[in-house]
Amino acid sequence: MEFFGVTIETWFLTIPFFFYFGVFFHEISHGMFAVLTRCSDVEISFFNKEKNMSVSYNTDAMWKVRAIGLAPIITAFGVLVFAYLLKGQIGWGSGSLIFG
């Protein structure tokens, strides 16, 4: 069985590969905001056997925790605005890829 000229087995092998990059950039945005808000003990771990990917930090301020939690959404909006300003317009496919 084929879907857009590619076998279904190939789709099942490649789709998780693309999701992995999304998780990578998601965790990077949490880490960036933890560093920007000057949290202490910021650690980003990749390929960890227990959690796979994670970010850990120490802080006492609740606003920092909320800002770090919203980091992927804020980063996605920033990328959309930046792409719109450079390109003049952005398609639905690019927007859904960024927010996906």
Side-chain angles (χ1 to χ4, degrees):
M1 185 169 163
E2 290 190 3
F3 187 64
F4 290 112
V6 179
T7 63
I8 204 76
E9 292 84 10
T10 305
W11 280 107
F12 282 127
L13 290 173
T14 57
I15 286 175
F17 179 73
F18 291 114
F19 284 130
Y20 196 75
F21 286 112
V23 174
F24 176 77
F25 289 117
H26 177 94
E27 296 300 330
I28 287 290
S29 67
H30 284 303
M32 278 188 344
F33 269 66
V35 170
L36 288 174
T37 57
R38 297 183 182 196
C39 294
S40 61
D41 301 328
V42 177
E43 291 183 16
I44 303 173
S45 61
F46 300 109
F47 310 114
N48 186 356
K49 291 183 180 180
E50 296 170 359
K51 296 181 181 177
N52 200 11
M53 290 187 189
S54 64
V55 175
S56 61
Y57 55 90
N58 290 325
T59 185
D60 334 355
M62 185 53 84
W63 72 268
K64 290 182 181 182
V65 174
R66 299 208 188 271
I68 293 167
L70 290 172
I73 296 170
I74 295 168
T75 304
F77 275 118
V79 169
L80 276 176
V81 168
F82 187 69
Y84 180 77
L85 292 175
L86 286 182
K87 191 176 173 186
Q89 66 180 0
I90 192 165
W92 286 105
S94 301
S96 63
L97 178 67
I98 291 167
F99 279 98

